[in-house]
């Protein structure tokens, strides 16, 4: 389990309970929905009848992007999420959501809004997504090195999220190359896309090595962390897609010998990476089946199934178009069918989860009203309190960050411990929660809160002197 040094100005023992606090991981829903639409364009011509349905799905992704962006910006939780070593990894989701919807505007939206409007939308979203993606690719690793602390078994698929956006920028930027003025501007865009591809691919390979090492040397991941293993497939698939897309537009900006070289690189390099992606796919399937048998509760990480499979569809479709190989063609079709099925399942669970939160009563320090019935005692909203202590000598730890998560990983409350190490969360619902104490080498533990009364739950942290 990972932890972080808390730099937030929260006051000790202040219960900042909100339900729900929208995390950046929910932007993966936009990524997944957008890739379902965009991937349909890469299928063989005989399947282009899906274009109308794909356009409708793209419109849904665009609407969802606007809703989530407004909601996330209004809650002003950026600093809180940056301080959390788990949540901060998913800062890569918003830029990839922007890039996916922007690419869909050019691939599908032009039939609705016209080419000029589609280009304008794509340029804006691509520029914003690329800027945010590069910032994330630099800032999150910097936080991991300077602010966050990680145990030897902390690596998980989410670590790929900050470094994948530049690869998505490379793949989607290739769509804009033909519409860029010829000369230095077009050349700069093409070379910049190749540079971003290199940035993302090399960083992703390093992270994949750490994840594989974690899988081999420590216990296999369980629960809602398992879907993030699929993100590795997305990183590899996106690199193959980018290689193919850039090779198509390279002749318009590079001299003939180099343009032919990009085509060779896209074919041979793409097939090599695609083969590794199939190995990672087999590993991800095995871990997922194992976890489903043990029980896999819903969480936003379920969207980690969707975009990676979509990236694998676009990668396979790219190789099919370049080689004319029937096995590649039918593999792309089968993967797309599985993608649509998975999207329907995950979207359905997400809608039910959202409806459940909408039905929940108001929170954040206000007593919840219940009808008063004669001769019956009033129910008391559950309260969770406890003390954070050192594991060595049991001393209370002040100003340790304590985070309460609900069953799907949404933040229910954040507080800092008082001088005596105490913390409290009030006005809760009966449910299963996870308590995470950070600021020192972290400790996390699950618990089940009864419907009434008050529960105490103490934590210990391994605090190093000095």
């Amino acid at each position: 389990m990972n932890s972080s040094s808390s730099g937030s100005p929260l006051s000790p023992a202040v219960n900042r309970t909100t339900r729900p606090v929208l995390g950046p991981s929910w932007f993966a829903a936009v990524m997944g929905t957008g890739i379902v639409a965009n991937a349909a364009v890469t299928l063989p011509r005989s399947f282009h009848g899906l274009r109308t349905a794909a356009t409708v799905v793209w419109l849904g992704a665009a609407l969802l992007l606007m809703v989530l962006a407004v909601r996330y910006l209004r809650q002003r939780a950026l600093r809180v999420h940056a301080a959390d070593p788990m949540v901060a990894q998913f800062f890569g989701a918003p830029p990839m959501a922007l890039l996916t919807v922007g690419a869909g505007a050019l691939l599908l939206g032009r039939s609705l809004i016209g080419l000029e409007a589609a280009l304008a939308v794509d340029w804006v979203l691509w520029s914003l997504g690329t800027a945010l993606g590069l910032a994330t690719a630099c800032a999150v690793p910097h936080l991991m090195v300077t602010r966050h602390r990680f145990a030897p078994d902390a690596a998980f698929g989410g670590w790929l999220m900050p470094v994948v956006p530049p690869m998505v920028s490379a793949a989607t930027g290739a769509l804009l190359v033909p519409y860029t003025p010829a000369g230095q501007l077009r050349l700069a865009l093409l070379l910049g896309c190749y540079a971003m591809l290199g940035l993302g691919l090399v960083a992703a390979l390093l992270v994949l090595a750490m994840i594989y090492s974690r899988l081999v040397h420590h216990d296999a991941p369980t629960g809602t962390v398992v879907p993030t293993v699929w993100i590795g497939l997305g990183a590899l698939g996106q690199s193959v897609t980018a290689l193919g897309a850039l090779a198509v537009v390279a002749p318009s900006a590079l001299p003939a010998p180099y343009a032919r070289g990009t085509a060779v690189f896209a074919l041979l390099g793409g097939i090599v990476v695609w083969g590794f992606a199939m190995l990672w796919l087999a590993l991800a399937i095995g871990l997922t089946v194992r976890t489903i048998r043990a029980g896999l509760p819903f969480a936003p990480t379920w969207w980690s199934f969707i975009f990676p499979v979509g990236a694998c569809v676009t990668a396979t479709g790219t190789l099919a178009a370049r080689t004319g190989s029937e096995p590649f063609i039918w593999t792309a079709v089968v993967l797309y069918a599985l993608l649509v099925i998975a999207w329907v399942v995950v979207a359905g669970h997400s809608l039910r989860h959202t409806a459940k939160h909408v039905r929940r009563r108001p929170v954040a320090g206000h007593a919840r009203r219940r009808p008063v019935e004669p001769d019956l005692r009033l129910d008391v909203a559950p309260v969770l309190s406890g003390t954070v202590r050192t594991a060595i000598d049991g001393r209370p730890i002040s100003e340790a960050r304590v985070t309460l998560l609900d069953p799907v990983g949404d933040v229910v409350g954040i507080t800092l411990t008082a001088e005596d190490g105490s913390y409290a969360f009030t006005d809760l619902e009966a449910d299963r929660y996870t308590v995470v104490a950070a600021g020192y080498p972290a400790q996390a533990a699950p618990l089940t809160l009864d419907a009434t009364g008050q529960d105490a739950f103490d934590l210990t942290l391994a605090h190093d002197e000095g």
Side-chain angles (χ1 to χ4, degrees):
M1 176 59 69
N2 17 12
S3 67
S4 68
S5 299
S6 174
S8 173
L10 296 177
S11 300
V14 174
N15 182 4
R16 299 299 181 93
T17 305
T18 56
R19 184 185 294 273
V21 174
L22 179 72
S25 60
W26 279 107
F27 283 88
V30 180
M31 297 165 50
T33 304
I35 200 69
V36 169
N38 296 351
V41 180
T42 67
L43 295 176
R45 293 184 180 276
S46 56
F47 293 89
H48 281 189
L50 297 172
R51 197 176 189 90
T52 300
T55 303
V56 174
V57 174
W58 169 76
L59 286 173
L63 178 61
L64 182 59
L65 173 62
M66 290 186 286
V67 172
L68 291 179
V70 171
R71 172 70 186 279
Y72 187 79
L73 292 174
R74 288 182 62 183
Q75 69 185 9
R76 299 179 181 179
L78 184 64
R79 292 185 63 188
V80 172
H81 290 157
D84 189 306
M86 184 74 73
V87 177
Q89 304 301 324
F90 293 94
F91 279 146
M96 284 191 282
L98 292 167
L99 294 166
T100 304
V101 172
L106 198 54
L107 292 171
L108 298 163
R110 68 168 73 183
S111 61
L112 297 177
I113 60 178
L115 178 59
E116 290 187 5
L119 269 174
V121 170
D122 194 12
W123 270 115
V124 170
L125 294 183
W126 184 84
S127 301
L128 183 58
T130 297
L132 289 176
L134 291 174
T136 299
C138 296
V140 174
H142 177 74
L143 287 174
M144 294 174 69
V145 172
T146 61
R147 296 286 303 276
H148 301 159
R149 301 177 185 174
F150 297 94
D153 62 345
F156 76 114
W159 283 17
L160 288 161
M161 291 294 288
V163 298
V164 172
M167 282 195 287
V168 181
S169 291
T172 55
L175 299 175
L176 293 169
V177 170
Y179 301 100
T180 305
Q184 288 298 314
L185 286 178
R186 183 179 296 181
L187 179 62
L189 178 58
L190 178 67
L191 297 181
C193 287
Y194 269 110
M196 288 188 290
L197 172 59
L199 184 161
L201 179 57
V202 174
L205 292 176
L206 292 174
V207 176
L208 285 171
M210 288 188 282
I211 296 172
Y212 186 76
S213 177
R214 179 253 185 273
L215 293 175
V216 171
H217 294 106
H218 301 278
D219 292 338
T222 58
T224 56
V225 175
V226 172
T228 65
V229 176
W230 288 73
I231 300 175
L233 178 66
L236 297 170
Q238 198 61 224
S239 66
V240 177
T241 303
L243 284 172
L246 292 171
V248 170
V249 298
S252 67
L254 291 176
Y258 297 106
R260 288 194 295 270
T262 63
V264 173
F265 187 33
L267 177 59
L268 300 183
I271 292 176
V272 169
V273 176
W274 187 87
F276 181 40
M278 293 301 100
L279 170 62
W280 199 267
L281 174 61
L283 177 62
I285 291 174
L287 289 173
T288 303
V289 171
R290 176 179 180 271
T291 305
I292 290 175
R293 290 176 177 175
L296 179 59
F298 175 76
T301 54
W302 276 32
W303 283 102
S304 300
F305 294 128
I306 309 303
F307 188 84
V309 176
C312 196
V313 172
T314 59
T316 307
T318 296
L319 293 175
R322 189 160 291 278
T323 62
S325 169
E326 289 288 337
F328 275 131
I329 293 174
W330 288 108
T331 299
V333 172
V334 171
L335 287 174
Y336 187 76
L338 296 176
L339 170 66
V340 172
I341 294 172
W343 177 73
V344 171
V345 172
V346 175
H349 279 278
S350 298
L351 289 174
R352 284 194 291 271
H353 168 76
T354 302
K356 178 182 177 182
H357 277 297
V358 169
R359 291 195 302 267
R360 284 182 173 177
R361 293 158 291 188
V363 297
H366 299 285
R368 299 171 181 173
R369 297 183 178 180
R370 295 179 174 83
V372 179
E373 301 179 11
D375 301 328
L376 293 177
R377 67 176 178 85
L378 294 177
D379 289 338
V380 179
V383 175
L384 175 65
S385 62
T387 303
V388 179
R389 304 178 182 275
T390 63
I392 299 175
D393 54 11
R395 286 187 298 104
I397 300 175
S398 63
E399 298 192 29
R401 179 187 294 271
V402 182
T403 304
L404 189 65
L405 306 176
D406 68 7
V408 300
D410 286 340
V411 177
V412 175
I414 299 174
T415 187
L416 297 181
T417 56
E419 291 185 2
D420 61 355
S422 64
Y423 71 91
F425 294 100
T426 61
D427 199 32
L428 301 171
E429 292 183 348
D431 210 338
R432 299 179 65 184
Y433 296 94
T434 297
V435 181
V436 181
Y440 302 84
Q443 175 72 26
L447 62 98
T448 300
L449 197 60
D450 294 332
T452 60
Q454 178 170 334
D455 285 350
F457 192 79
D458 294 343
L459 295 167
T460 58
L461 293 177
H463 176 52
D464 297 329
E465 294 293 343

